[in-house]
Amino acid sequence: MEGQDEVSAREQHFHSQVRESTICFLLFAILYVVSYFIITRYRRKSDEQEDEDAIVNRISLFLSTFTLAVSAGAVLLLPFSIISNEILLAFPQNYYIQWLNGSLIHGLWNLASLFSNLCLFVLMPFAFFFLESEGFAGLKKGIRARILETLVMLILLALLILGIVWVASALIDNDAASMESLYDLWEFYLPYLYSCISLMGCLLLLLCTPVGLSRMFTVMGQLLVKPTILEDLDEQIYIVTLEEEALQRRLFGQSSSVEHNIMELEQELENIKTLKTKLERRKKASAWERNLVYPAVMVLLLIETSISVLLVACNILCLLVDETAMPKGTKGPGIGNASLSAFGFVGAALEIILIFYLMVSSVVGFYSLRFFGDFIPKKDDTTMTKIIGNCVSILVLSSALPVMSRTLGLHKLHLSNPSGDAGAPKPSVNGHQKAL
């Protein structure tokens, strides 16, 4: 009987591992396909030549797509974990959701942490150096020479980062134990380095999120059709059309020697055409879109911003007056054991909405900063170098999102294992689960 029970337990463990692997593969395949369509929408079409550079661009495209899919997975995992916890509480014995368990959630977080490290420290540096490489002088030009140069650059970069961390550790904590811990790359060095990147991401989120919250109203105002109150769109379109025709006559009448004036006229004509397109779009919009959608979206943004600020203020107040309210990642109820919100499923849905709103606001704020303004991708006119920079930036922001939202009190999810759950996998040692 004991032998049969052992075989049955091993079979159940095997089927569980196969099921979890299949689910992870299907979820990542969906994210990869969506990420591929997003990147190809913005990638410059002139990069699609059929030569050696085309192969390099294609490899960099696949690596960038993989990184963007990992970033999307890191963003979606937190809402997925919250909604899974509420579903397990609502239907604890349902046969059709037995696949949704703590082991799957922990496995997804471990994979997200592993792939984030892989993309941040290996794939994206390789894609950038591979795209910029030409091969060492004296060697035969080709893909192999470019790969060799890229690998050498990666090794030199790794040695440089290792040396910087070593010197910083010696300056901050000149202890034999801390110096010996740097020899353990897998258990200490890489998680420590990833924690530093997550800290930089949190600081970037703290900088970008307030800017994004203030810019969200302007961005949505540009995307939506505003109500026409005391405006005559036909008259405005007529005036803009006359200005366009006058600029075209001036442009055709200019001599080819005055290049500076021609460029100014072309830029002014382009602005006039853009304004005309916006006015025509406002004219074609329905009354529902003009008078209902725009006010509703603005009120919704105001409510979400107010709730976010209120929750953060309450969390800061609790941290000041209650020492037990400090976030602790070592103990927690686990997945499916307790509700994460006092309002149950409605509170969990509100947390998910606020987390997505925080991420969208941080991305809008990131592109609104003057230093990162050149990173804004343009449709069919974005180079692969700029795409790599955008993927790395989004990966850093998404990696810091769980830590940031947990610190601000937007959710109370604990991914650490409870003491009685010995069968669940141990949490990862790096940034995501240790902070949560």
Side-chain angles (χ1 to χ4, degrees):
M1 293 294 295
E2 294 181 358
Q4 292 179 355
D5 293 340
E6 183 180 355
V7 172
S8 177
R10 285 189 297 177
E11 288 180 352
Q12 291 180 0
H13 179 71
F14 172 76
H15 291 306
S16 176
Q17 293 295 321
V18 171
R19 181 177 64 248
E20 292 177 8
S21 301
T22 304
I23 293 173
C24 293
F25 175 77
L26 292 177
L27 292 177
F28 184 78
I30 295 173
L31 292 176
Y32 189 90
V33 172
V34 174
S35 302
Y36 178 80
F37 282 112
I38 292 175
I39 292 181
T40 52
R41 177 181 176 84
Y42 290 98
R43 186 173 63 126
R44 179 176 293 176
K45 301 304 180 182
S46 60
D47 293 339
E48 297 180 353
Q49 64 271 21
E50 291 297 332
D51 53 4
E52 178 184 318
D53 291 333
I55 300 176
V56 174
N57 285 325
R58 196 173 296 117
I59 294 174
S60 300
L61 172 64
F62 292 153
L63 296 180
S64 301
T65 305
F66 184 87
T67 303
L68 187 60
V70 172
S71 304
V75 172
L76 295 175
L77 263 182
L78 187 55
F80 180 75
S81 302
I82 294 174
I83 197 68
S84 299
N85 182 76
E86 300 301 325
I87 291 175
L88 290 176
L89 284 175
F91 309 99
Q93 303 297 330
N94 195 311
Y95 174 78
Y96 295 100
I97 61 170
Q98 292 300 312
W99 58 272
L100 193 62
N101 49 34
S103 177
L104 174 64
I105 302 300
H106 282 87
L108 288 173
W109 278 103
N110 286 329
L111 288 177
S113 300
L114 175 63
F115 287 152
S116 297
N117 281 315
L118 181 65
C119 295
L120 197 58
F121 300 120
V122 179
L123 297 185
M124 286 293 93
F126 178 85
F128 177 76
F129 290 130
F130 190 48
L131 195 65
E132 300 294 330
S133 64
E134 296 180 357
F136 291 112
L139 295 179
K140 183 180 179 181
K141 300 297 182 180
I143 299 297
R144 292 184 179 180
R146 301 180 73 161
I147 292 177
L148 179 61
E149 181 183 353
T150 304
L151 294 177
V152 172
M153 292 297 296
L154 286 178
I155 294 173
L156 294 177
L157 179 63
L159 292 176
L160 177 62
I161 296 177
L162 180 62
I164 292 175
V165 174
W166 202 292
V167 173
S169 178
L171 293 175
I172 297 174
D173 187 10
N174 192 9
D175 188 11
S178 62
M179 297 299 293
E180 290 179 0
S181 62
L182 288 176
Y183 289 106
D184 195 348
L185 295 179
W186 182 258
E187 293 293 334
F188 181 83
Y189 179 75
L190 286 180
Y192 173 72
L193 188 60
Y194 185 77
S195 299
C196 294
I197 299 297
S198 296
L199 176 61
M200 295 174 55
C202 288
L203 296 178
L204 187 60
L205 275 178
L206 286 174
L207 179 64
C208 296
T209 305
V211 179
L213 291 176
S214 62
R215 283 279 300 169
M216 282 293 291
F217 296 91
T218 305
V219 172
M220 295 306 298
Q222 294 174 352
L223 295 177
L224 299 176
V225 178
K226 297 181 180 180
T228 55
I229 302 176
L230 301 178
E231 287 186 276
D232 190 352
L233 293 180
D234 293 330
E235 182 180 356
Q236 294 183 18
I237 293 175
Y238 178 72
I239 294 174
V240 170
T241 304
L242 292 178
E243 292 180 357
E244 181 183 1
E245 293 177 355
L247 286 174
Q248 288 178 351
R249 286 194 297 268
R250 288 178 59 188
L251 185 62
F252 294 147
Q254 289 284 345
S255 60
S256 59
S257 58
V258 190
E259 296 182 359
H260 181 68
N261 293 336
I262 291 178
M263 293 178 61
E264 289 182 354
L265 289 176
E266 289 179 350
Q267 182 64 34
E268 189 175 354
L269 181 61
E270 188 67 26
N271 296 334
I272 290 295
K273 289 182 178 179
T274 303
L275 179 60
K276 183 180 179 181
T277 303
K278 292 180 179 180
L279 291 175
E280 290 177 349
R281 180 172 177 267
R282 292 182 60 186
K283 183 180 178 181
K284 293 179 181 178
S286 62
W288 288 95
E289 185 179 358
R290 289 196 306 265
N291 303 323
L292 182 62
V293 175
Y294 181 83
V297 170
M298 289 301 167
V299 171
L300 183 62
L301 288 178
L302 182 61
I303 293 175
E304 290 180 347
T305 304
S306 303
I307 294 176
S308 301
V309 173
L310 182 62
L311 288 178
V312 172
C314 293
N315 183 62
I316 293 175
L317 184 62
C318 291
L319 293 178
L320 291 175
V321 300
D322 188 7
E323 185 178 348
T324 61
M326 292 293 292
K328 299 177 178 63
T330 56
K331 295 181 181 179
I335 300 295
N337 294 327
S339 180
L340 301 175
S341 175
F343 300 99
F345 193 84
V346 177
L350 180 61
E351 290 179 356
I352 292 174
I353 293 174
L354 293 179
I355 289 171
F356 278 121
Y357 183 59
L358 177 66
M359 185 61 193
V360 174
S361 301
S362 63
V363 173
V364 172
F366 174 80
Y367 288 118
S368 299
L369 295 177
R370 183 176 302 177
F371 183 75
F372 301 106
D374 295 336
F375 271 60
I376 300 177
K378 298 179 181 179
K379 182 181 177 182
D380 298 333
D381 192 26
T382 306
T383 61
M384 279 305 304
T385 305
K386 189 176 291 186
I387 288 176
I388 292 173
N390 279 275
C391 291
V392 172
S393 303
I394 295 176
L395 179 62
V396 172
L397 292 175
S398 62
S399 299
L401 178 65
V403 182
M404 184 70 176
S405 57
R406 179 73 177 94
T407 305
L408 295 178
L410 296 181
H411 73 90
K412 299 179 181 179
L413 179 66
H414 292 272
L415 286 177
S416 55
N417 295 332
S419 56
D421 191 6
K426 295 182 179 180
S428 175
V429 293
N430 51 23
H432 286 299
Q433 296 192 22
K434 194 170 184 179
L436 290 171

